[in-house]
């Protein structure tokens, strides 16, 4: 496991996060147990953020909201055979239309398709505190 500066990753690490990979998001349930779900993730080291678009009624959004305005610790991870990368940080739910649209655009760039319009879409923004991996 190699530590990575989440705001200044090496080129190979960043390139791995730009490839098309399904990821997982781990959020804490109210009882403290982990809730792990497949998601698409975008990584923005310049802003120090990872973003996950979702429906405002999703369990993952509910878990993040339950922590309050300061956010909750979460992790996103992707793996491709022996290569893997994890980003950790404090997650909050954002409903600002401009930030949601930006997250959708970043998702479309990474995954090669624009999600169908969804008036209930929000973005989970993860303020990055740690990165690691073998990419």
């Amino acid at each position: 496991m190699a530590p990575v500066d989440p705001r200044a990753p090496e080129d190979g690490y960043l390139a791995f996060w730009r490839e098309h990979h399904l990821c997982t998001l781990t959020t804490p349930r109210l009882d403290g147990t982990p809730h792990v779900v497949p998601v698409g993730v975008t990584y923005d080291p310049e802003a120090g953020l990872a973003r996950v678009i979702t429906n405002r009624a999703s369990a993952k959004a509910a878990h993040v909201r339950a922590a309050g305005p300061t956010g909750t610790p979460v992790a996103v991870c992707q793996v491709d055979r022996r290569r893997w990368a994890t980003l950790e940080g404090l997650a909050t739910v954002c409903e600002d239309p401009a930030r949601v649209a930006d997250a959708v655009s970043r998702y479309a760039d990474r995954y090669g398709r624009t999600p169908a319009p969804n008036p209930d879409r929000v973005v989970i923004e993860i303020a990055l505190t740690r990165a690691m991996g073998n990419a």
Side-chain angles (χ1 to χ4, degrees):
M1 171 176 57
V4 175
D5 180 346
R7 288 185 158 269
E10 294 180 6
D11 291 343
Y13 190 84
L14 184 56
F16 185 47
W17 276 104
R18 291 187 172 146
E19 294 173 10
H20 187 291
H21 294 289
L22 186 62
C23 304
T24 60
L25 168 67
T26 304
T27 57
R29 294 185 182 101
L30 289 176
D31 67 3
T33 60
H35 177 252
V36 184
V37 294
V39 294
V41 175
T42 61
Y43 174 30
D44 180 358
E46 294 81 22
L49 292 174
R51 296 175 179 92
V52 175
I53 57 175
T54 189
N55 191 293
R56 73 175 30 117
S58 69
K60 57 188 157 286
H63 296 153
V64 172
R65 269 198 204 92
T70 58
T72 190
V74 302
V76 289
C77 184
Q78 66 181 21
V79 63
D80 179 38
R81 298 179 188 213
R82 294 182 61 112
R83 297 184 306 156
W84 63 275
T86 299
L87 299 169
E88 298 177 13
L90 288 176
T92 55
V93 175
C94 178
E95 297 189 19
D96 176 79
R99 287 169 52 185
V100 172
D102 178 56
V104 169
S105 175
R106 290 171 185 276
Y107 178 96
D109 287 346
R110 181 172 188 199
Y111 291 100
R113 69 173 192 83
T114 301
N118 178 354
D120 292 325
R121 182 171 287 130
V122 296
V123 59
I124 296 173
E125 294 180 333
I126 305 164
L128 299 173
T129 57
R130 182 179 297 158
M132 61 189 114
N134 180 26

